[in-house]
Every structure is written in structure tokens, then in C-alpha cells.
Amino acid sequence: MPDSNPLLNWEDFPDFPAITAEHVLPAVREAVARSTAELEALEKAAPATWHGLLVPLERLSDRVSRTWGLATHLHNVRNSPSMRQAYAEAQPLVVEFQNRLGQSRPVYDALVALRDGPDFPFFSQALQRAITLLARDATLQGVGLDPDRRERFNAISQELAELATRFTNNVLDATQAFALILTSPDEVQGIPEDALRLLAGKARPRGHPLATAESGPWAVTLDLPSFLPFMQHAARRDLREQAYRAYVTRAASGKGDNEPLIRRILVLRREQAALLGFGNFAAMSLARKMAPGVGEIEALLRTIQDAATDPALTDLIELGELAAAGGQSEDIQPWDVMYWSERLKESRFGLRDELVRPYFPLPAIMQGLFDLIRELFAVSIEPVPDVPAWHPDVTYCRVTGGDGREIAGLFLDPYARPEEKRGGAWMDELHGRSTACAPRGRDVRLPVAYVNCNQRPGLDGEPSLMSFQEVTTLFHEFGHALQHMLTTVSHGFVAGISNVEWDAVELASQFMENWCHQPETLARLARHFRTGEPMDKGMMDKLLQARNFRAGSNALRQVSFALTDLALHTADPAGLDPVTMAHDIARDILPLPPLPEDRFICAFAHIFSGGYAAGYYSYKWAEVLSADAFGAFEEAGLADPAARRALGLRFRDTVLALGGGRHPMDTFRLFRGREPDPAALLRQEGLLPRAEDN
């Protein structure tokens, strides 16, 4: 019965432990049926007021998106064969409903009438944005197509959704399937003790229940908490090669080969764009983004490429020299880069991962992050016990404003679980802020976010000890969460991160990363987990100096990915070889070309199963915004608490509060007083030429 389905009947939080795969399909059927009935009633009523149209429209949309969003979340963090099957069976119902809603001519006509009507200029800016964007999205969902074209458009939408799910599952399966079992001390030479404990833990469920860090066996897997430390520290070059080749060929062979899926996805995206009158999928994608066109994006990326190329070549030369001095007679290969980069970092900065991690225990980092958020934005975040979650390691936190009133909530899922949880780090929402969808008896529904990471769990009774990269990743995802949670917009269609242009959505996240590199903040964060002693100033200075270590190489890698994405989505897919195209672009940009068998795009989930199709450039585009926004704090004086607080409140009241309720360029101007300057990013990354070189 629907009344007993825990996916459907909840207000503040679902009963996560009670939800099983068997609940997914009935819940989605019920949500879609109820919302479809309400949509039909709305179409017949043809309301002429914004309240009569948008309030019921938001409620019926929210019912499906909230139910499906919860199912998607569990599919990502508690994956299983039964969950996959349920998800695959329910997904077509959701896609069909979304197309039905987006292609409703009566709703579209009512939106256009409101947009073009005499009262529109008197609506709030958020309401104007909601109406305008809903009408735009209806056009992009095919509301203007004739019946035959609409039927084809919808069939493409269904197939693309199914292909994206298969793509994700293939990557997850390939990541889980590989394990390099090591049995002798020689094979793990150079690997730090904490990483050995992790690798021994990986071996236990793989047929070695007595594995220990000291005597092994050890299992190297392809999830990043295992793969990265192995590639950075394992002295055995032949074993690094074996792991690297497995990593860059994930989901690239056998039944789980994603290359045929990629080819099909590109063909379908091109066809769908053509149905709507666009020359290619990139043009259709940019209709929803901040960037004005592909040309402007490529110009920014080429500017970064020009600035980064010489530093990246220098990076490669330095690695080759260090490897030769270390006894490697062969030229640098891709499986050498992380290893010798780590040795170069150690020699230049005296930094080794096992020396840094003890200063970044997760509980203390969380408290430091919460303290910073309170000081900058005048909000408090506190863990709350006894809120049921989907795993015992998950923590729920309550967010309160300066007056002590609750304004939002957040679930944090910090640890890798490669057997059931997708890789990477991401933020998502349980639900957003909304007056239309407020629970009975309340004025507004408060937003609740998920923050998901994949760092190593604590070992042997110790807390999770984080790498500095994991610390910045956590700050990054909290930036997204803050934009979701601190919104003051109450129209759900444009509250928080909803309908923020994709290439601006990384502004808040990358802005928060900058604080990890601010000396005062870092000094407060970095304390030894056993003694509480602060990190030695010399080590902290080196950590800060290392920010732009290999900045040229890192920038070129992102430029290569972004240009590959744009090329795939502007080229004619007929006869296109996606792997060859990716290789050609990489060879043109990167100092060290990829291996001939490299199939990284077969695991490029961002653009084939995530939201970054023809949008991977967004990271660099938004880095310009975030670097320039943080520049305001640098100009005002980071050591001045009053100036920091004043600017923090302004950032909260613009970027974080307005969300999708204003165009991101307008929001940026409100905060910064001008348009963004691309030089801010090059300056931050140390890639601007010195004045005397000009």
C-alpha cells in the first residue's frame, strides 16, 4: 500500500534504514500517477495568475523529483543488484513524466502569458526568473514540436536515461572488479603504513581474512583511496604500470565496455539537438548556461593553455631529471608521473602524505570548517544524534541562523564504500527550500543537503586521517551545500542550487576551497590528532607553497578534458571515433601523451552519466569567478576580522542567498561590483607572466 511506503510518506526525513529496493517502483508509480492527475487538472483549469499556476506546478513537480531524487541517492550510496533493477524499471516512468510535464502546451501557454503580461515587471526577480526559465526549459524539452517529432524526442530521452545508468554501473563494476593482490614486502616497498593498513583491509574480504598491514597480503583496488597512495608511493614500477593500465581501461572491454554506449549517446544527443533546431548538442547545452557560446569558452581555455604550457613542460622535465637521478633509465611514462611528482614534492617541500595526514583528522576538520562558516556567514552547524541515515557512518547536522532558528539540514557521508557507493565526491539535495511545498502548519520547507565523499575510513580505532586534497574536497562540497542551505529564495524552482546556470554552480564550491590555502585558517585546522599540537610552521608554509605545485600540468589536464568534451559534442557523430578524438586532443595539449590503449573517456562519467555534457569547461569558467570573488577578501585584508565578516555576509546575501533567483552575472556584480576578471585565476595559479617578462 502507498501509505506504508517509506519512500513516499515523510516530511522532514525519510526512514532511510526502512527503504529497500522493493519500495522504489511502487513509490515512483504512485508519485507519477498523483502528479499526472494534478497536471491534467491544472491544464483544464488554465489559471491566469502566477499563484494559481506556479504553486500547483511546483507541488506536482516536487512530488516526483523528491521521490526519484531519494531513489537516485540510494542508488548512488547503497547500490546493489536489486536496487539497480528497481532503478532501471522506475526510470522510464520518471522520464515519461518529465517529458509530459515539460511538453504541456497549456502550461507553456500560461507561462508565456504571464511572462508577456502587464504584471510581469511587478513580480519579484525570483518569480520572474522562475517563469522565464520554466518557459525556456519547456522549449528545450520539445513543447513546440509536432506530434511525430515529440514522440521521437521522448524516445531519445528515455534511451539516454537508460544509457547513462548503464554507463554508471559499468564504471562501478569495473572499479570493483580489479584487485592487484600483493604478497611480498618487496611489492609494497615505499608505501606508507596507513596506506598499507588500508590495502590489507581491502584484502580481507577478497579471500585473505588474516591480512595485516605488517605481513599482508595487500589488495590494490581502483577506488581512489586505494589507487592514489599506491601510485604515489609504490617503488615497484612494474606494479604501478599494471594498476595504471587497469585504471585507464576501466569499462573499456567485454560486456561492460562503455565505448559503444558513448557512440550511441553522442548520436542521440545530436539528433535531439537537431529536433530543437540546434546545430549540435553543445549549442543546445549552452542555451541553459552562463557562457555565451562555444567560441568564448574555447578562447578562455586557450588562454589558460597558453599560460600553462611552458610551466607544464618544465614540470615534465623536472620529473625526468629526478627519475634519472633516482636510478630510472627509462623515460617518464604515465604510471611514473604520480610517483615522481610525490618524490619531487617531498624534496622541494619536505611533504609526505603520511606526515601530513595526522594533522587532518576528520572530526577536527569538520569543527574547523563549521567555525569558519560561523565566522564568515553567521550560521552554526551542529551534529544531531539519532537521525536515521542509510549507513552508520553518516552524520546529520542542523544548521541555524544567527538568531538560533533552524534554517537547514545536512547529511554527511564521508567514507569510501566501493562495494556499494559510487566514486568521487558530490553534493545533492534531499529537498530544497519552498513555501509551496511546506509541511502542513509551517510557513516554509527547509532545505536539506547531502555531502558525499570517498576518503579512507578511520583504521584501528583512530579517526579518519585526511590528505590535504581530501580537506579541500570537503570544503568544495560544503560550498555547494551552503548555496543550497543558505538560500533566502522560497520559490522552489529557483531556490538554492536549482536553476543556477551550470557553469556558475561551481563558484561557491571553489570559493570555499580557497580558505584551505589561507594561512590563518590552515593554522587552525592543522592539529595533530593525538597531541593536539599545531602543525609546525615550516611544514604549514611548505603546504601553502605547494598549492601551485605542477599548476601548469594540472591546468592543461583540465583544459584537455574540457576541449575533448566540447569537441565530442560539436562534431558530427557519424563516423566519429571518440577515443581517437580524445587522444588527438590530449597529444596536442599535454606534454606527456596518453598510452595508445588509454580509454579514459569510457569512465568519463561527468559528461556521459553526470550533468557536465558540453559543460566540463564549467570548472575553469567558475574558477575565474571564484578566484575573483576570493580576491575581494584579499584586497580587503584577510587578517582583518571585521572586513572578513562584512564581506562574508555580503557573499552570503548575494551568491549563497540568491541562488537561481538571479542570473549569475548579476549576482556576481552585486557581490564584486564589476564583471569577473580572468586574470584573477591565472594570478592565483601562478601562471601570469611577471611584469619584467612583458
Side-chain angles (χ1 to χ4, degrees), residues 340-627:
W340 289 112
S341 294
E342 202 66 19
R343 304 292 78 75
L344 183 59
K345 185 187 292 186
E346 290 170 1
S347 66
R348 183 171 295 174
F349 304 110
L351 296 174
R352 295 201 307 274
D353 209 31
E354 69 269 24
L355 296 180
V356 171
R357 281 185 184 272
Y359 289 92
F360 296 121
L362 176 63
I365 297 304
M366 294 304 307
Q367 189 57 54
L369 173 58
F370 293 167
D371 289 344
L372 176 67
I373 289 170
R374 184 180 65 252
E375 293 166 10
L376 287 175
F377 308 129
V379 296
S380 297
I381 304 178
E382 297 178 352
V384 178
D386 303 327
V387 175
W390 53 94
H391 191 275
D393 291 336
V394 177
T395 300
Y396 177 75
C397 299
R398 178 186 293 119
V399 184
T400 55
D403 58 2
R405 287 192 297 180
E406 186 172 359
I407 57 175
L410 174 140
F411 287 94
L412 172 66
D413 186 351
Y415 306 133
R417 298 188 300 277
E419 70 283 357
E420 67 173 9
K421 184 180 178 183
R422 81 176 224 210
W426 71 99
M427 172 266 163
D428 209 337
E429 61 179 78
L430 176 62
H431 52 233
R433 181 179 171 89
S434 171
T435 51
C437 299
R440 190 168 301 173
R442 301 188 203 173
D443 294 331
V444 66
R445 183 181 70 189
L446 301 181
V448 177
Y450 306 120
V451 169
N452 304 279
C453 299
N454 263 283
Q455 64 201 53
R456 62 178 66 174
L459 300 169
D460 302 330
E462 295 178 352
S464 173
L465 302 179
M466 306 171 70
S467 70
F468 188 53
Q469 179 59 51
E470 287 168 343
V471 174
T472 59
T473 296
L474 181 68
F475 273 60
H476 178 106
E477 299 306 334
F478 258 81
H480 288 307
L482 288 168
Q483 189 169 34
H484 176 67
M485 297 187 300
L486 302 190
T487 186
T488 56
V489 177
S490 295
H491 295 292
F493 288 120
V494 290
I497 58 173
S498 295
N499 268 310
V500 176
E501 277 74 357
W502 197 267
D503 42 5
V505 81
E506 298 293 337
L507 164 57
S509 57
Q510 291 166 345
F511 170 83
M512 287 301 296
E513 283 189 48
N514 283 294
W515 292 100
C516 299
H517 302 278
Q518 199 270 322
E520 180 186 334
T521 303
L522 183 57
R524 291 163 54 189
L525 289 174
R527 293 183 175 272
H528 198 281
F529 79 100
R530 285 200 182 101
T531 66
E533 289 295 313
M535 180 180 283
D536 174 79
K537 186 177 185 303
M539 182 185 288
M540 193 178 75
D541 289 345
K542 295 294 186 182
L543 201 59
L544 292 169
Q545 292 167 19
R547 179 181 192 180
N548 290 332
F549 178 65
R550 293 179 55 79
S553 300
N554 296 334
L556 288 189
R557 182 175 179 270
Q558 290 297 96
V559 168
S560 177
F561 287 167
L563 288 174
T564 297
D565 173 35
L566 287 176
L568 289 171
H569 289 106
T570 51
D572 184 350
L576 176 69
D577 184 337
V579 172
T580 298
M581 173 176 276
H583 277 229
D584 289 345
I585 292 171
R587 279 193 293 268
D588 178 57
I589 295 171
L590 302 178
L592 187 63
L595 299 176
E597 64 268 37
D598 188 310
R599 298 290 188 274
F600 90 91
I601 66 168
C602 289
F604 200 177
H606 276 73
I607 68 170
F608 294 116
S609 60
Y612 283 86
Y616 196 85
Y617 76 90
S618 299
Y619 284 105
K620 304 311 289 183
W621 189 273
E623 278 178 21
V624 170
L625 305 177
S626 64

Side-chain angles (χ1 to χ4, degrees), residues 161-180:
E162 186 267 335
L163 289 168
T165 300
R166 285 174 55 195
F167 189 101
T168 297
N169 289 337
N170 285 346
V171 175
L172 182 61
D173 289 345
T175 302
Q176 292 173 348
F178 177 87
L180 177 60

Side-chain angles (χ1 to χ4, degrees), residues 299-318:
L300 173 65
L301 294 173
R302 295 299 184 186
T303 296
I304 297 170
Q305 179 185 351
D306 291 344
T309 295
D310 284 348
L313 288 169
T314 300
D315 290 343
L316 184 59
I317 292 169
E318 289 177 339

Side-chain angles (χ1 to χ4, degrees), residues 227-277:
F227 177 75
L228 285 181
F230 181 77
M231 296 301 297
Q232 289 168 337
H233 298 289
R236 281 279 298 270
R237 189 168 183 258
D238 58 326
L239 298 177
R240 294 201 311 269
E241 177 181 358
Q242 191 174 340
Y244 181 84
R245 288 182 183 277
Y247 189 80
V248 298
T249 55
R250 286 179 301 158
S253 62
K255 291 192 298 183
D257 187 355
N258 273 340
E259 186 175 344
L261 275 61
I262 290 171
R263 293 175 181 270
R264 182 63 177 161
I265 287 169
L266 293 174
V267 167
L268 291 173
R269 286 175 175 171
R270 177 81 165 209
E271 183 183 356
Q272 196 167 55
L275 286 170
L276 296 179

Side-chain angles (χ1 to χ4, degrees), residues 635-650:
E635 293 164 12
L638 287 166
D640 183 344
R644 278 175 35 147
R645 168 56 72 94
L647 276 172
L649 294 179
R650 193 160 92 200

Side-chain angles (χ1 to χ4, degrees), residues 74-121:
L74 293 174
H75 182 261
N76 287 332
V77 299
R78 213 169 65 192
N79 199 288
S80 67
S82 59
M83 182 62 77
R84 286 187 186 190
Q85 181 178 350
Y87 189 84
E89 291 175 353
Q91 188 174 51
L93 302 176
V94 177
V95 175
E96 182 180 3
F97 171 78
Q98 290 169 340
N99 285 334
R100 167 75 176 82
L101 174 61
Q103 294 166 358
S104 169
R105 191 73 201 198
V107 169
Y108 174 74
D109 289 342
L111 288 167
V112 170
L114 287 173
R115 184 194 66 193
D116 298 341
D119 295 332
F120 187 77

